[in-house]
Amino acid sequence: PVICLRSSIILGPLGPYGCNVHSTFLHFCNSRNGVKDPTTFYKDEIRSVIGVKDVVKILYYFMNRHTFENNDEGKLMNNGQRVYNMGGPQGVSRMEMALAVA
C-alpha cells in the first residue's frame, strides 16, 4: 500500500545538514519583531500545528505497519492509496502564531 502524510506547520529544532534552506511563516513572523511598519496577519487563515517529535512517531508507526485494516481513519483513494493529515488537535490562525512568536 501507498500512504501520503500531509502536514502543515511542524514545530521543532532546526534540522541537521543544512536542511533549513527556506524561510517559513514563523521565520517571517520573527523577522517582523521590532519593525516599525505594521504587518497584517489574518485570523481566518487556520493552520494545524504539530511537533516534530509527533511527526517522527507517526512516521515510525507507518513504517512498522505491514497492512492497512478496514477501519483505518485515512481516506481511501480509488487506487488503494490512503491520505492522512498530520496535525495537532486545534486549528491555529496566522494571527495567533504571530502573537506567539512576538
Side-chain angles (χ1 to χ4, degrees):
V2 175
I3 60 168
C4 174
L5 301 174
R6 299 178 68 237
S7 67
S8 182
I9 298 190
I10 301 173
L11 298 179
L14 295 176
Y17 314 115
C19 296
N20 305 296
V21 295
H22 69 279
S23 293
T24 66
F25 176 71
L26 295 176
H27 290 122
F28 172 74
C29 291
N30 193 43
S31 74
R32 300 305 298 166
N33 282 333
V35 175
K36 292 183 181 181
D37 297 330
T39 304
T40 302
F41 296 104
Y42 296 96
K43 294 180 181 179
D44 62 348
E45 293 183 15
I46 306 299
R47 300 293 183 265
S48 181
V49 179
I50 187 168
V52 68
K53 289 182 181 180
D54 291 327
V55 172
V56 171
K57 288 177 188 176
I58 292 167
L59 293 172
Y60 186 77
Y61 171 81
F62 280 107
M63 289 186 323
N64 288 297
R65 287 188 74 189
H66 298 291
T67 61
F68 288 103
E69 300 171 5
N70 290 334
N71 62 355
D72 261 349
E73 294 179 17
K75 181 179 178 184
L76 183 60
M77 307 301 281
N78 289 338
N79 55 6
Q81 298 176 353
R82 291 183 184 261
V83 177
Y84 294 87
N85 292 312
M86 297 185 296
Q90 296 177 338
V92 181
S93 73
R94 288 187 175 252
M95 172 69 87
E96 292 169 314
M97 286 187 276
L99 290 172
V101 172

XYZ file of all heavy atoms in Angstrom:
800
model
N 0.817 -1.196 0.000
C 0.000 0.000 0.000
C 0.864 1.264 0.000
O 1.985 1.256 0.474
C -0.814 -0.085 1.263
C -0.490 -1.380 1.913
C 0.622 -2.000 1.188
N 0.308 2.338 -0.493
C 0.986 3.626 -0.521
C 0.196 4.577 0.362
O -1.032 4.614 0.307
C 1.050 4.183 -1.960
C 1.649 5.570 -1.968
C 1.839 3.243 -2.855
N 0.907 5.345 1.189
C 0.241 6.337 2.022
C 0.852 7.708 1.762
O 1.991 7.820 1.334
C 0.346 6.010 3.524
C 1.811 5.960 3.959
C -0.371 4.737 3.860
C 1.984 5.925 5.447
N 0.058 8.725 2.014
C 0.509 10.113 1.911
C 0.224 10.756 3.254
O -0.901 10.719 3.736
C -0.249 10.831 0.793
S 0.127 12.592 0.711
N 1.274 11.319 3.877
C 1.120 12.007 5.143
C 1.279 13.496 4.890
O 2.332 13.949 4.477
C 2.173 11.524 6.141
C 2.153 10.030 6.452
C 3.324 9.645 7.327
C 0.841 9.660 7.120
N 0.218 14.247 5.103
C 0.221 15.692 4.846
C 0.450 16.433 6.155
O -0.109 16.075 7.185
C -1.130 16.107 4.257
C -1.445 15.424 2.951
C -2.819 15.827 2.426
N -2.796 17.228 2.034
C -3.620 18.151 2.523
N -4.526 17.832 3.412
N -3.540 19.395 2.116
N 1.253 17.477 6.101
C 1.472 18.286 7.294
C 1.298 19.753 6.936
O 1.345 20.138 5.774
C 2.869 18.050 7.859
O 3.843 18.542 6.958
N 1.114 20.556 7.965
C 1.009 21.989 7.751
C 2.235 22.648 8.358
O 3.232 22.832 7.677
C -0.271 22.530 8.389
O -0.393 23.907 8.147
N 2.225 22.930 9.622
C 3.357 23.595 10.270
C 3.947 22.645 11.297
O 3.268 22.217 12.230
C 2.911 24.914 10.915
C 2.401 25.822 9.807
C 4.043 25.535 11.717
C 2.134 27.219 10.165
N 5.218 22.320 11.106
C 5.932 21.418 12.006
C 6.839 22.260 12.896
O 7.678 23.017 12.397
C 6.753 20.385 11.216
C 5.834 19.561 10.310
C 7.526 19.481 12.171
C 6.576 18.634 9.364
N 6.662 22.129 14.208
C 7.464 22.874 15.169
C 8.561 21.981 15.730
O 8.335 20.809 16.004
C 6.597 23.363 16.327
C 5.475 24.324 15.984
C 4.697 24.683 17.238
C 6.011 25.570 15.318
N 9.741 22.546 15.884
C 10.837 21.797 16.480
C 12.160 22.458 16.187
O 12.217 23.527 15.566
N 13.228 21.816 16.619
C 14.558 22.395 16.400
C 14.929 22.371 14.922
O 14.328 21.646 14.125
C 15.472 21.485 17.216
C 14.740 20.196 17.304
C 13.275 20.551 17.321
N 15.919 23.174 14.571
C 16.410 23.187 13.199
C 16.959 21.817 12.825
O 17.550 21.124 13.661
C 17.495 24.245 13.026
C 17.053 25.691 13.212
C 18.254 26.622 13.103
C 16.002 26.059 12.192
N 16.762 21.438 11.575
C 17.243 20.158 11.097
C 18.747 20.160 10.855
O 19.361 21.213 10.696
N 19.335 18.984 10.791
C 20.775 18.882 10.557
C 21.118 19.008 9.078
O 20.242 18.962 8.211
C 21.100 17.479 11.066
C 19.842 16.707 10.788
C 18.716 17.698 11.019
N 22.380 19.164 8.803
C 22.922 19.049 7.444
C 22.367 20.077 6.463
O 22.163 19.788 5.304
C 22.708 17.640 6.889
C 23.070 16.567 7.868
C 22.095 15.702 8.367
C 24.370 16.425 8.321
C 22.420 14.719 9.275
C 24.702 15.444 9.235
C 23.731 14.596 9.711
O 24.058 13.643 10.617
N 22.072 21.278 6.914
C 21.630 22.330 6.006
C 20.256 22.107 5.406
O 19.968 22.590 4.318
N 19.393 21.395 6.109
C 18.043 21.110 5.587
C 17.131 22.328 5.619
O 16.064 22.318 5.034
C 17.387 19.988 6.391
S 18.233 18.424 6.249
N 17.520 23.372 6.323
C 16.652 24.529 6.518
C 17.006 25.621 5.515
O 17.468 26.686 5.865
C 16.789 25.044 7.941
C 16.523 23.959 8.943
O 15.413 23.462 9.008
N 17.526 23.561 9.686
N 16.766 25.361 4.248
C 17.199 26.275 3.199
C 16.153 27.325 2.850
O 16.437 28.230 2.095
C 17.615 25.504 1.926
C 18.834 24.668 2.206
C 16.466 24.651 1.427
N 14.947 27.219 3.371
C 13.930 28.216 3.064
C 13.296 28.727 4.355
O 13.300 28.071 5.369
C 12.856 27.627 2.142
C 12.000 26.599 2.809
N 12.400 25.298 2.970
C 10.775 26.687 3.365
C 11.446 24.628 3.604
N 10.460 25.442 3.849
N 12.771 29.927 4.282
C 12.106 30.528 5.427
C 10.685 30.001 5.526
O 10.065 29.632 4.524
C 12.082 32.045 5.279
O 13.374 32.570 5.365
N 10.175 29.998 6.732
C 8.796 29.596 6.962
C 7.999 30.804 7.441
O 8.549 31.883 7.677
C 8.726 28.495 8.037
O 9.140 29.048 9.291
C 9.597 27.301 7.673
N 6.721 30.608 7.595
C 5.872 31.685 8.104
C 6.345 32.138 9.486
O 6.348 33.328 9.789
C 4.412 31.221 8.158
C 3.495 32.236 8.766
C 3.182 33.396 8.085
C 2.973 32.052 10.032
C 2.362 34.355 8.647
C 2.143 32.996 10.602
C 1.834 34.152 9.905
N 6.767 31.205 10.324
C 7.232 31.573 11.654
C 8.526 32.384 11.590
O 8.728 33.294 12.393
C 7.404 30.331 12.524
C 6.103 29.580 12.819
C 6.380 28.315 13.609
C 5.107 30.464 13.536
N 9.404 32.070 10.631
C 10.601 32.892 10.432
C 10.195 34.317 10.045
O 10.776 35.293 10.513
C 11.507 32.309 9.333
C 12.182 31.041 9.726
N 12.015 29.889 9.013
C 13.015 30.745 10.744
C 12.720 28.936 9.570
N 13.327 29.430 10.628
N 9.211 34.418 9.165
C 8.715 35.740 8.756
C 8.182 36.504 9.965
O 8.492 37.687 10.153
C 7.639 35.599 7.684
C 6.955 36.897 7.374
C 7.594 37.883 6.636
C 5.676 37.138 7.841
C 6.969 39.095 6.368
C 5.037 38.336 7.574
C 5.690 39.326 6.836
N 7.373 35.839 10.801
C 6.827 36.499 11.990
C 7.957 37.011 12.874
O 7.909 38.150 13.363
C 5.956 35.530 12.782
S 4.424 35.064 11.975
N 8.957 36.194 13.076
C 10.084 36.587 13.915
C 10.836 37.771 13.313
O 11.290 38.656 14.042
C 11.020 35.401 14.124
C 12.018 35.648 15.223
O 11.671 36.171 16.282
N 13.259 35.281 14.978
N 10.931 37.815 11.994
C 11.651 38.911 11.345
C 10.910 40.240 11.477
O 11.496 41.304 11.307
C 11.881 38.602 9.865
O 10.680 38.736 9.121
N 9.614 40.199 11.760
C 8.811 41.420 11.887
C 8.895 42.021 13.290
O 8.446 43.128 13.506
C 7.349 41.140 11.533
C 7.129 40.630 10.116
C 7.709 41.524 9.060
N 7.077 42.837 9.089
C 7.552 43.913 8.476
N 8.657 43.832 7.769
N 6.923 45.076 8.555
N 9.465 41.296 14.255
C 9.628 41.832 15.617
C 10.505 43.075 15.574
O 11.582 43.061 14.994
C 10.244 40.792 16.550
C 9.251 39.757 17.003
O 8.058 40.025 17.067
N 9.724 38.573 17.310
N 10.050 44.146 16.163
C 10.821 45.374 16.232
C 10.757 46.244 14.994
O 11.348 47.315 14.962
N 10.047 45.818 13.967
C 9.910 46.614 12.746
C 8.807 47.642 12.958
O 7.745 47.322 13.493
C 9.587 45.700 11.540
C 9.328 46.514 10.295
C 10.726 44.725 11.309
N 9.069 48.880 12.556
C 8.085 49.955 12.782
C 6.882 49.870 11.854
O 5.777 50.237 12.223
C 8.770 51.311 12.647
C 9.759 51.578 13.750
C 10.375 52.943 13.629
C 11.394 53.154 14.745
N 12.002 54.472 14.704
N 7.079 49.397 10.622
C 5.954 49.282 9.677
C 4.999 48.194 10.150
O 5.420 47.103 10.533
C 6.469 48.930 8.279
C 7.362 50.011 7.692
O 7.156 51.196 8.031
O 8.265 49.672 6.916
N 3.699 48.460 10.103
C 2.735 47.440 10.544
C 2.688 46.253 9.581
O 2.963 46.383 8.396
C 1.395 48.186 10.540
C 1.596 49.331 9.611
C 3.048 49.691 9.666
N 2.373 45.104 10.133
C 2.210 43.880 9.354
C 0.811 43.349 9.595
O 0.341 43.336 10.727
C 3.241 42.819 9.782
O 4.551 43.366 9.647
C 3.134 41.575 8.923
N 0.140 42.930 8.554
C -1.210 42.395 8.680
C -1.147 40.877 8.784
O -0.539 40.210 7.952
C -2.063 42.779 7.454
O -2.090 44.202 7.348
C -3.473 42.248 7.580
N -1.767 40.337 9.814
C -1.908 38.892 9.987
C -3.397 38.592 10.077
O -4.134 39.291 10.774
C -1.200 38.417 11.263
C 0.290 38.610 11.229
C 0.885 39.642 11.932
C 1.094 37.756 10.490
C 2.253 39.825 11.911
C 2.470 37.931 10.460
C 3.050 38.959 11.168
N -3.838 37.548 9.404
C -5.257 37.258 9.306
C -5.691 36.206 10.313
O -4.961 35.279 10.621
C -5.599 36.801 7.888
C -5.357 37.898 6.883
C -4.165 37.962 6.162
C -6.295 38.898 6.674
C -3.932 38.982 5.254
C -6.071 39.924 5.772
C -4.883 39.954 5.066
O -4.654 40.959 4.179
N -6.922 36.377 10.791
C -7.496 35.434 11.747
C -8.213 34.283 11.053
O -8.492 33.262 11.670
C -8.492 36.144 12.657
C -7.859 37.171 13.569
C -8.924 37.827 14.426
C -8.313 38.875 15.322
N -9.319 39.547 16.155
N -8.537 34.445 9.767
C -9.327 33.429 9.071
C -8.470 32.441 8.276
O -9.001 31.616 7.550
C -10.368 34.080 8.159
C -9.748 34.934 7.063
O -8.529 35.222 7.134
O -10.479 35.315 6.141
N -7.161 32.512 8.411
C -6.266 31.534 7.778
C -5.803 30.572 8.873
O -4.907 30.871 9.644
C -5.080 32.227 7.120
C -5.465 33.079 5.940
C -4.251 33.699 5.259
O -3.122 33.268 5.516
O -4.472 34.634 4.476
N -6.448 29.429 8.931
C -6.228 28.474 10.013
C -5.254 27.390 9.559
O -5.363 26.864 8.449
C -7.557 27.835 10.463
C -8.583 28.910 10.821
C -7.346 26.860 11.605
C -8.165 29.826 11.950
N -4.317 27.075 10.416
C -3.332 26.033 10.150
C -3.358 25.021 11.289
O -3.798 25.301 12.390
C -1.911 26.621 10.045
C -1.749 27.644 8.935
C -1.894 26.962 7.573
N -1.677 27.892 6.481
C -2.610 28.556 5.834
N -3.865 28.435 6.193
N -2.312 29.346 4.830
N -2.845 23.851 10.997
C -2.716 22.809 12.000
C -1.240 22.673 12.345
O -0.409 22.471 11.466
C -3.269 21.491 11.454
O -3.160 20.494 12.429
N -0.920 22.802 13.609
C 0.467 22.765 14.064
C 0.740 21.421 14.726
O -0.090 20.907 15.476
C 0.725 23.921 15.058
C 2.149 23.901 15.559
C 0.409 25.259 14.405
N 1.911 20.850 14.439
C 2.306 19.576 15.031
C 3.783 19.636 15.388
O 4.577 20.271 14.691
C 2.007 18.397 14.067
C 2.267 17.055 14.753
C 2.781 18.531 12.770
C 1.736 15.855 13.977
N 4.141 19.003 16.487
C 5.534 18.956 16.916
C 6.312 17.923 16.117
O 5.774 16.890 15.713
N 7.581 18.193 15.894
C 8.410 17.291 15.095
C 8.502 15.908 15.741
O 8.552 14.896 15.033
C 9.810 17.905 14.837
C 10.629 17.997 16.102
C 10.552 17.130 13.762
N 8.490 15.834 17.063
C 8.539 14.523 17.728
C 7.291 13.707 17.430
O 7.350 12.485 17.278
C 8.731 14.689 19.233
C 10.119 15.173 19.601
C 10.293 15.292 21.093
C 11.693 15.799 21.417
N 11.891 15.912 22.870
N 6.134 14.377 17.317
C 4.904 13.676 16.950
C 4.962 13.191 15.503
O 4.471 12.106 15.186
C 3.687 14.572 17.170
C 3.424 14.831 18.642
O 3.701 13.933 19.466
O 2.947 15.923 18.972
N 5.575 13.986 14.624
C 5.740 13.559 13.230
C 6.598 12.305 13.178
O 6.289 11.342 12.455
C 6.357 14.685 12.369
C 6.717 14.176 10.983
C 5.399 15.859 12.271
N 7.669 12.276 13.946
C 8.551 11.104 13.974
C 7.780 9.884 14.461
O 7.906 8.792 13.898
C 9.796 11.370 14.838
C 10.603 10.095 15.061
C 10.658 12.447 14.201
N 6.953 10.042 15.492
C 6.146 8.924 15.997
C 5.199 8.400 14.911
O 5.009 7.191 14.762
C 5.335 9.356 17.220
C 6.159 9.568 18.465
C 5.275 10.064 19.602
C 6.087 10.478 20.800
N 5.242 11.052 21.864
N 4.585 9.313 14.174
C 3.657 8.917 13.101
C 4.404 8.176 12.003
O 3.952 7.136 11.517
C 2.915 10.145 12.551
C 1.972 10.703 13.611
C 2.167 9.805 11.268
C 1.417 12.077 13.294
N 5.557 8.697 11.595
C 6.358 8.027 10.566
C 6.775 6.640 11.033
O 6.696 5.661 10.272
C 7.591 8.860 10.215
C 7.326 10.183 9.514
C 8.623 10.986 9.397
C 6.699 9.974 8.154
N 7.219 6.528 12.261
C 7.624 5.238 12.813
C 6.446 4.264 12.821
O 6.588 3.098 12.472
C 8.180 5.446 14.227
C 8.750 4.198 14.831
C 10.007 3.729 14.442
C 8.054 3.483 15.790
C 10.536 2.575 14.996
C 8.568 2.336 16.344
C 9.813 1.883 15.941
O 10.325 0.732 16.481
N 5.274 4.758 13.200
C 4.074 3.922 13.216
C 3.807 3.330 11.837
O 3.615 2.127 11.689
C 2.876 4.761 13.689
C 1.551 4.069 13.534
C 1.132 3.134 14.473
C 0.716 4.361 12.465
C -0.088 2.487 14.337
C -0.511 3.730 12.327
C -0.907 2.795 13.264
O -2.108 2.157 13.118
N 3.815 4.163 10.802
C 3.504 3.678 9.466
C 4.626 2.823 8.876
O 4.369 1.911 8.108
C 3.164 4.834 8.525
C 1.752 5.314 8.698
C 1.498 6.512 9.317
C 0.689 4.553 8.264
C 0.201 6.960 9.491
C -0.611 4.971 8.430
C -0.863 6.179 9.054
N 5.862 3.107 9.231
C 6.968 2.293 8.720
C 6.922 0.883 9.283
O 7.422 -0.052 8.664
C 8.316 2.934 9.061
C 8.586 4.179 8.259
S 10.224 4.922 8.458
C 10.622 4.704 10.146
N 6.303 0.733 10.448
C 6.246 -0.579 11.088
C 4.929 -1.321 10.872
O 4.753 -2.409 11.387
C 6.521 -0.434 12.587
C 7.966 -0.110 12.832
O 8.833 -0.898 12.510
N 8.227 1.070 13.351
N 4.035 -0.741 10.104
C 2.779 -1.432 9.773
C 2.956 -2.200 8.482
O 3.554 -1.707 7.546
C 1.641 -0.430 9.597
C 1.208 0.148 10.921
C 0.009 0.961 10.760
N -1.135 0.089 10.548
C -2.326 0.519 10.200
N -2.516 1.788 10.006
N -3.317 -0.306 10.047
N 2.408 -3.387 8.434
C 2.534 -4.201 7.222
C 1.243 -4.250 6.418
O 1.263 -4.540 5.234
C 2.978 -5.614 7.591
C 4.313 -5.649 8.257
N 5.478 -5.360 7.599
C 4.652 -5.904 9.530
C 6.493 -5.448 8.429
N 6.026 -5.770 9.608
N 0.122 -3.975 7.061
C -1.161 -3.996 6.359
C -2.017 -2.826 6.819
O -1.822 -2.278 7.895
C -1.941 -5.297 6.649
O -2.201 -5.366 8.042
C -1.163 -6.515 6.190
N -2.974 -2.472 6.006
C -3.978 -1.487 6.397
C -5.251 -2.238 6.708
O -5.678 -3.105 5.963
C -4.251 -0.497 5.256
C -3.137 0.456 5.038
C -2.264 0.285 3.982
C -2.952 1.511 5.896
C -1.223 1.158 3.783
C -1.923 2.391 5.702
C -1.055 2.217 4.641
N -5.874 -1.890 7.813
C -7.118 -2.530 8.201
C -8.287 -1.735 7.644
O -8.166 -0.566 7.319
C -7.188 -2.619 9.725
C -6.039 -3.439 10.298
C -5.971 -3.347 11.810
O -6.874 -2.725 12.411
O -5.018 -3.881 12.366
N -9.434 -2.352 7.573
C -10.619 -1.700 7.018
C -11.088 -0.512 7.847
O -11.758 0.371 7.339
C -11.772 -2.708 6.901
C -11.498 -3.715 5.813
O -10.767 -3.440 4.874
N -12.070 -4.901 5.951
N -10.733 -0.460 9.125
C -11.222 0.613 9.976
C -10.229 1.769 10.095
O -10.364 2.608 10.966
C -11.581 0.091 11.362
C -10.372 -0.498 12.077
O -9.299 -0.593 11.513
N -10.574 -0.901 13.317
N -9.233 1.819 9.243
C -8.294 2.944 9.250
C -9.045 4.250 9.048
O -10.043 4.308 8.342
C -7.265 2.812 8.118
C -5.947 2.249 8.611
O -5.765 2.157 9.830
O -5.123 1.910 7.770
N -8.565 5.308 9.642
C -9.204 6.614 9.518
C -8.761 7.367 8.274
O -9.314 8.394 7.937
C -8.917 7.453 10.757
C -9.560 6.888 12.002
C -9.254 7.709 13.228
O -8.838 8.859 13.084
O -9.442 7.188 14.325
N -7.737 6.878 7.591
C -7.266 7.559 6.388
C -8.290 7.472 5.271
O -9.092 6.552 5.201
N -8.271 8.431 4.396
C -9.204 8.464 3.276
C -8.718 7.495 2.196
O -7.605 7.613 1.694
C -9.283 9.880 2.708
C -10.253 10.006 1.565
C -10.303 11.431 1.059
C -11.255 11.526 -0.119
N -11.251 12.871 -0.694
N -9.534 6.528 1.838
C -9.171 5.548 0.825
C -9.363 6.152 -0.562
O -10.436 6.610 -0.917
C -10.038 4.293 0.969
C -9.731 3.146 0.017
C -8.293 2.672 0.215
C -10.699 2.004 0.233
N -8.301 6.173 -1.319
C -8.341 6.709 -2.672
C -8.717 5.580 -3.638
O -8.658 4.412 -3.299
C -6.977 7.290 -3.045
C -6.441 8.307 -2.031
S -7.501 9.716 -1.791
C -7.083 10.645 -3.236
N -9.085 5.931 -4.870
C -9.520 4.944 -5.862
C -8.470 3.880 -6.141
O -8.791 2.745 -6.436
C -9.892 5.631 -7.171
C -11.172 6.428 -7.048
O -11.986 6.164 -6.173
N -11.340 7.407 -7.905
N -7.204 4.235 -6.066
C -6.144 3.290 -6.395
C -5.599 2.561 -5.177
O -4.540 1.964 -5.234
C -5.011 4.026 -7.115
C -4.499 5.199 -6.311
O -4.913 5.395 -5.180
N -3.614 5.962 -6.896
N -6.301 2.600 -4.051
C -5.867 1.894 -2.859
C -4.918 2.688 -1.981
O -4.516 2.204 -0.933
N -4.566 3.877 -2.398
C -3.701 4.707 -1.570
C -4.523 5.345 -0.460
O -5.726 5.519 -0.580
C -3.030 5.785 -2.409
C -2.135 5.239 -3.486
C -1.559 6.345 -4.354
O -1.923 7.503 -4.225
N -0.660 5.977 -5.231
N -3.832 5.731 0.607
C -4.508 6.400 1.720
C -3.813 7.718 2.015
O -2.595 7.812 1.924
C -4.533 5.527 2.961
C -5.437 4.326 2.790
C -5.500 3.508 4.072
N -6.282 2.318 3.848
C -7.549 2.180 4.194
N -8.182 3.175 4.778
N -8.202 1.067 3.973
N -4.613 8.721 2.370
C -4.096 10.044 2.693
C -4.454 10.356 4.139
O -5.603 10.213 4.543
C -4.690 11.123 1.758
C -4.186 12.502 2.156
C -4.358 10.816 0.308
N -3.443 10.759 4.913
C -3.637 11.132 6.310
C -3.155 12.561 6.512
O -2.123 12.955 5.973
C -2.830 10.218 7.236
C -3.290 8.784 7.226
C -2.795 7.889 6.288
C -4.203 8.314 8.162
C -3.204 6.559 6.283
C -4.619 6.997 8.162
C -4.117 6.123 7.222
O -4.517 4.818 7.213
N -3.880 13.318 7.306
C -3.462 14.661 7.678
C -2.833 14.600 9.058
O -3.471 14.168 10.018
C -4.657 15.619 7.692
C -5.198 15.859 6.314
O -4.448 16.129 5.395
N -6.502 15.743 6.173
N -1.565 15.015 9.134
C -0.887 15.072 10.430
C -1.068 16.479 10.964
O -0.748 17.452 10.287
C 0.614 14.797 10.275
C 0.950 13.425 9.763
S 2.733 13.150 9.749
C 3.287 14.369 8.568
N -1.569 16.590 12.150
C -1.749 17.906 12.729
C -2.150 17.803 14.178
O -2.505 16.732 14.663
N -2.080 18.916 14.853
C -2.455 18.964 16.254
C -3.957 18.964 16.434
O -4.723 19.017 15.465
N -4.396 18.941 17.670
C -5.831 18.843 17.953
C -6.615 20.126 17.700
O -7.828 20.089 17.602
C -5.879 18.479 19.439
C -4.603 19.013 19.990
C -3.586 18.894 18.877
N -5.912 21.268 17.580
C -6.617 22.535 17.402
C -6.062 23.291 16.203
O -4.864 23.252 15.938
C -6.449 23.420 18.627
C -7.065 22.863 19.876
C -6.795 23.772 21.064
O -5.867 24.553 21.058
N -7.630 23.658 22.083
N -6.962 23.990 15.516
C -6.529 24.885 14.464
C -6.001 26.178 15.070
O -6.491 26.630 16.103
N -4.996 26.754 14.444
C -4.385 27.983 14.930
C -4.363 28.981 13.782
O -3.947 28.644 12.669
C -2.947 27.720 15.436
C -2.306 28.993 15.959
C -2.936 26.644 16.507
N -4.809 30.208 14.047
C -4.793 31.224 12.994
C -3.383 31.792 12.840
O -2.544 31.694 13.738
C -5.766 32.362 13.324
O -5.253 33.165 14.368
N -3.140 32.404 11.695
C -1.844 33.059 11.486
C -1.643 34.192 12.494
O -0.534 34.441 12.925
C -1.735 33.577 10.048
C -1.553 32.434 9.062
C -1.277 32.973 7.671
N -0.984 31.895 6.755
C 0.229 31.642 6.261
N 1.234 32.402 6.585
N 0.422 30.642 5.436
N -2.721 34.849 12.882
C -2.646 35.888 13.906
C -2.151 35.307 15.229
O -1.268 35.855 15.879
C -4.002 36.570 14.098
C -4.048 37.531 15.263
S -3.061 38.998 15.019
C -4.242 40.005 14.180
N -2.729 34.170 15.631
C -2.318 33.535 16.885
C -0.847 33.111 16.835
O -0.118 33.240 17.831
C -3.211 32.331 17.191
C -4.634 32.700 17.519
C -5.556 31.512 17.555
O -5.507 30.671 16.626
O -6.341 31.431 18.514
N -0.403 32.601 15.684
C 1.000 32.210 15.555
C 1.914 33.421 15.646
O 2.957 33.373 16.309
C 1.230 31.469 14.233
C 0.690 30.062 14.229
S 1.157 29.150 12.751
C -0.097 29.690 11.616
N 1.528 34.512 14.997
C 2.342 35.728 15.037
C 2.442 36.258 16.467
O 3.518 36.673 16.910
C 1.752 36.788 14.110
N 1.337 36.229 17.211
C 1.357 36.694 18.591
C 2.230 35.799 19.467
O 2.908 36.263 20.382
C -0.069 36.760 19.156
C -0.945 37.868 18.567
C -2.382 37.720 19.052
C -0.384 39.236 18.927
N 2.232 34.492 19.185
C 3.046 33.562 19.967
C 4.537 33.796 19.725
O 5.350 33.608 20.628
C 2.675 32.123 19.618
N 4.898 34.215 18.516
C 6.303 34.452 18.175
C 6.769 35.795 18.725
O 7.944 35.969 19.061
C 6.511 34.382 16.642
C 7.905 34.823 16.254
C 6.243 32.975 16.144
N 5.843 36.750 18.834
C 6.211 38.126 19.255
C 6.805 38.161 20.649
O 6.603 37.366 21.475
C 4.980 39.026 19.186
